[in-house]
Amino acid sequence: MPGRRGCLPPVLCALAALSLPLLLAAEPRAKSCSEVRRLYAAKGFSQSEAPSHEISGDHLKVCSQGYTCCSQEMEEKYSQQSKHDFRNAVVELSNHLQTMFSSRYKKFDEFFKELLENAEKSLNDMFVRTYGRLYMQNSELFKDLFVELKRYYVGGNVNLEEMLNEFWARLLERMFRLVNPQYHFTDEYLECVSKYTEQLKPFGDVPRKLKLQVTRAFVAARTFAQGLAVARDVVSKVSAVNPTPQGTRALLKMMYCPHCRGLVSVKPCYNYCFNVMRGCLANQGDLDAEWNIFMDSMLLVAERLEGPFNIESVMDPIDVKISDAIMNMQENSMQVSQKVFQGCGQPKTLAQGRTARSVSESGFSARFRPYNPEERPTTAAGTSLDRLVTDVKEKLKQAKKFWSSLPGNICNDEKMSVGTVNENECWNGSAKSRYDFAVTGNGLASQVNNPEVEVDITKPDMVIRRQIMALRVMTNKLKNAYSGNDVDFIDISEESSGEESGSGCELQQCSPEFEFNATEVTRNSNKSDKNVNTSAAARSGLSQAALLLSILFLAMQRQWR
């Protein structure tokens, strides 16, 4: 019949009707990307760039090209975001260390400078109160001493030994005039007198001991402060990371490719994260060995600052020590004068009236007396060197192995929160599954076997290489400071050139004869005070009083010039 032409047989029509729902059910439904879109927008990106449902991933360059929730724009922005997240993670962990070194450097620097100011004020106040106008007329000698000490600390070209030798020579010239007021001395004659400083030891053993103490204390203090500044600057430069294109690909694959798969709550496997971070921080890892040696050297100099090279124990009683030297000259003035006359010739005598006026004008009526403990200035910078060193030693110990620990610390960071609970439920770079590769070693050379980051081990980062050299230079200076040898100043305002200076003695091999016994000096200093007081009580007669006054005046003239 014409009405049924073209119609399938009834059986086939029935089969087609029954199979239609099955065919429709077999068609895959695209998964929703709503959570991916929400998190993408939370990063500050446009939600319109994110598809609402999975799409084909043929356009992706790094992430899986199967069905994906990432558009091409998303992958590009995720790539930039992964670099940003990585840099922030390094900076956040490094900032704490950099801030620590910066704050400790400022505290030590403030302490050392204030210590010098207090010592100068202490001596000045004491001498003004004791000798008045006579001291004021000759204060430049002592003022010059402190000017040179301050100039050395801040990096001036000052040879401490030569400067101190000059100080004692000038002091001898001043005192020699005062203990021999009846003579006229030319400048040439006084130059001859100064040549006898070492031979005659008019100031006893004080100049030798003080020179040893001051040199070692100032070298250690200045070098330690510079070390803190160098550490601060190294951290600042090395933590400014810029991942390579290969590193950026690895970071993107680890951090955001899971999002493209819709696995927004799945975190990277720990060993996977470790390999990515070690590859991206390969050059920083090479810094670790030199950094640890540098930290050990800083700790050893810190121990010196607590003991024989304690600048606080040297500067606080420096007025007493100089007084001891003056007393030695006073008590031995006759013998010293006779030996000088023998070596330099007999000087011309002055007229009687001139001589009398000289003695009268010098007229010391007071003997030097040190401050009582309660009169001394308050501790510099509101603290003490022992407290500062104790604090910084703990920080230095904690800073060791910082760079080799950095990859693991980043992976353990809360923001990274890698999957450590279930190793089969973490992102391994391609799926939510176990990560089977071993963790590579630390440093550039070890990355040749890194399965996650392609690293060119033949091209080291030159910024980091310069910092390694800067650490080596500073370490050698710390070794010299530890042994008590003077070192060149490092201009911390400029980046180190990387030139390596001559090394000092090995820290374990420094000669023990260089060690100074601070306790012994304190006992000797106290003994000298007692001897001074005893001799003062025993002295009588006009000639003895005049001699005493003259010597004291000379001493102060010499020191304040």
Side-chain angles (χ1 to χ4, degrees):
M1 296 187 309
R4 299 178 60 90
R5 186 176 296 173
C7 183
L8 293 173
V11 176
L12 293 178
C13 289
L15 290 175
L18 291 173
S19 62
L20 181 60
L22 296 175
L23 292 172
L24 292 175
E27 184 74 20
R29 289 185 178 181
K31 294 181 180 178
S32 172
C33 295
S34 59
E35 186 64 10
V36 175
R37 283 165 57 86
R38 184 186 69 79
L39 294 175
Y40 184 73
K43 294 285 185 183
F45 303 131
S46 173
Q47 197 174 55
S48 63
E49 297 171 349
S52 58
H53 292 79
E54 287 186 334
I55 59 176
S56 172
D58 293 341
H59 54 276
L60 300 180
K61 297 178 180 180
V62 177
C63 298
S64 173
Q65 293 185 334
Y67 284 100
T68 182
C69 285
C70 288
S71 63
Q72 183 176 349
E73 293 82 0
M74 289 178 67
E75 186 182 49
E76 291 172 355
K77 291 185 178 179
Y78 272 149
S79 178
Q80 294 301 315
Q81 186 66 38
S82 65
K83 289 174 63 175
H84 175 76
D85 293 348
F86 171 67
R87 287 170 176 165
N88 280 353
V90 174
V91 168
E92 285 182 12
L93 288 170
S94 302
N95 269 352
H96 176 73
L97 189 64
Q98 183 181 345
T99 301
M100 183 277 290
F101 281 119
S102 180
S103 63
R104 268 54 179 189
Y105 167 73
K106 290 178 181 178
K107 196 67 176 178
F108 270 87
D109 187 59
E110 176 188 3
F111 177 84
F112 291 144
K113 289 177 179 177
E114 191 169 325
L115 185 66
L116 287 173
E117 294 289 343
N118 286 351
E120 182 176 12
K121 184 177 184 299
S122 171
L123 191 148
N124 183 66
D125 291 348
M126 181 191 307
F127 277 53
V128 166
R129 185 172 61 253
T130 305
Y131 306 114
R133 182 178 61 85
L134 191 57
Y135 160 74
M136 296 301 296
Q137 292 173 345
N138 299 275
S139 62
E140 76 278 2
L141 175 61
F142 300 99
K143 185 176 182 179
D144 286 351
L145 171 64
F146 283 97
V147 166
E148 290 301 291
L149 289 175
K150 293 173 186 176
R151 193 162 72 88
Y152 172 83
Y153 174 73
V154 298
N157 185 22
V158 178
N159 185 303
L160 285 176
E161 291 195 10
E162 291 180 1
M163 183 271 291
L164 291 170
N165 288 339
E166 175 66 13
F167 168 76
W168 293 111
R170 292 175 64 194
L171 180 58
L172 177 60
E173 292 175 12
R174 291 288 184 94
M175 292 193 66
F176 197 77
R177 282 181 185 271
L178 291 178
V179 298
N180 295 285
Q182 69 273 29
Y183 296 108
H184 169 70
F185 298 104
T186 64
D187 291 342
E188 291 76 12
Y189 194 94
L190 290 176
E191 285 183 12
C192 180
V193 171
S194 65
K195 294 178 182 178
Y196 282 83
T197 305
E198 285 292 327
Q199 179 182 343
L200 299 178
K201 293 185 172 21
F203 301 111
D205 204 31
V206 174
R208 183 191 68 82
K209 286 186 175 181
L210 191 59
K211 180 167 64 176
L212 187 65
Q213 296 166 30
V214 167
T215 299
R216 292 176 176 176
F218 271 76
V219 168
R222 186 176 79 167
T223 307
F224 190 78
Q226 290 174 10
L228 291 172
V230 167
R232 173 201 64 197
D233 294 344
V234 167
V235 174
S236 175
K237 292 180 174 70
V238 175
S239 61
V241 293
N242 186 29
T244 64
Q246 294 80 6
T248 301
R249 286 175 60 90
L251 291 169
L252 168 61
K253 184 179 178 182
M254 181 184 75
M255 295 180 179
Y256 291 107
C257 283
H259 287 223
C260 296
R261 296 282 297 275
L263 304 174
V264 294
S265 62
V266 179
K267 301 302 179 181
C269 301
Y270 183 78
N271 286 354
Y272 173 43
C273 177
F274 218 130
N275 276 337
V276 172
M277 291 303 159
R278 281 209 166 157
C280 292
L281 296 169
N283 286 279
Q284 282 77 2
D286 280 346
L287 188 76
D288 202 60
E290 202 63 47
W291 175 265
N292 292 338
I293 295 172
F294 171 62
M295 289 294 107
D296 287 336
S297 300
M298 288 286 289
L299 284 166
L300 287 169
V301 175
E303 291 177 2
R304 289 296 209 199
L305 289 174
E306 288 180 311
F309 297 176
N310 188 316
I311 191 173
E312 190 172 21
S313 67
V314 172
M315 293 309 299
D316 271 353
I318 195 170
D319 45 14
V320 177
K321 294 174 182 179
I322 293 175
S323 171
D324 290 343
I326 294 172
M327 295 304 104
N328 280 320
M329 173 64 185
Q330 173 186 318
E331 293 168 358
N332 299 293
S333 60
M334 293 185 64
Q335 299 93 315
V336 170
S337 297
Q338 288 302 316
K339 290 182 179 179
V340 170
F341 293 159
Q342 292 174 9
C344 299
Q346 190 71 21
K348 295 180 180 180
T349 58
L350 293 171
Q352 183 64 33
R354 178 71 179 272
T355 303
R357 282 197 302 273
S358 297
V359 174
S360 176
E361 289 169 2
S362 66
F364 285 122
S365 59
R367 192 175 182 83
F368 177 91
R369 69 175 184 85
Y371 273 143
N372 292 324
E374 61 271 15
E375 293 181 273
R376 286 203 170 276
T378 55
T379 307
T383 185
S384 71
L385 185 59
D386 286 343
R387 285 197 291 270
L388 286 175
V389 172
T390 298
D391 168 69
V392 81
K393 281 172 64 178
E394 287 303 311
K395 304 300 182 184
L396 290 170
K397 292 174 184 176
Q398 294 170 11
K400 289 186 65 176
K401 299 184 178 180
F402 174 81
W403 302 106
S404 60
S405 302
L406 187 57
N409 288 336
I410 293 176
C411 290
N412 285 322
D413 187 73
E414 290 182 1
K415 295 179 181 178
M416 187 67 65
S417 59
V418 298
T420 57
V421 178
N422 189 337
E423 61 182 12
N424 294 314
E425 297 293 324
C426 54
W427 175 253
N428 66 6
S430 59
K432 180 182 177 181
S433 184
R434 182 186 184 90
Y435 184 74
D436 294 322
F437 291 103
V439 175
T440 60
N442 196 48
L444 186 62
S446 299
Q447 304 316 306
V448 68
N449 296 317
N450 193 313
E452 306 303 334
V453 187
E454 183 181 344
V455 181
D456 187 349
I457 64 173
T458 66
K459 295 182 179 179
D461 187 308
M462 296 313 297
V463 171
I464 293 179
R465 298 296 139 175
R466 285 194 290 271
Q467 300 315 305
I468 291 174
M469 293 306 298
L471 289 175
R472 287 177 182 170
V473 170
M474 193 67 236
T475 297
N476 282 327
K477 293 185 182 299
L478 288 164
K479 290 179 179 180
N480 278 323
Y482 175 84
S483 66
N485 299 327
D486 201 355
V487 294
D488 294 333
F489 180 76
I490 293 180
D491 187 355
I492 59 177
S493 64
E494 298 179 1
E495 185 175 343
S496 297
S497 64
E499 293 183 3
E500 186 170 353
S501 65
S503 62
C505 69
E506 291 298 323
L507 296 182
Q508 296 85 352
Q509 298 174 357
C510 292
S511 173
E513 69 181 6
F514 283 15
E515 296 189 12
F516 164 70
N517 192 321
T519 305
E520 180 183 30
V521 169
T522 303
R523 288 199 302 265
N524 291 339
S525 180
N526 293 337
K527 186 185 297 184
S528 297
D529 289 343
K530 293 179 181 178
N531 292 338
V532 168
N533 293 333
T534 302
S535 62
R539 290 186 181 277
S540 61
L542 179 60
S543 60
Q544 294 291 343
L547 178 61
L548 171 61
L549 296 174
S550 299
I551 293 171
L552 291 172
F553 174 65
L554 286 170
M556 289 184 294
Q557 279 184 318
R558 180 62 184 169
Q559 287 173 318
W560 284 95
R561 177 171 294 175

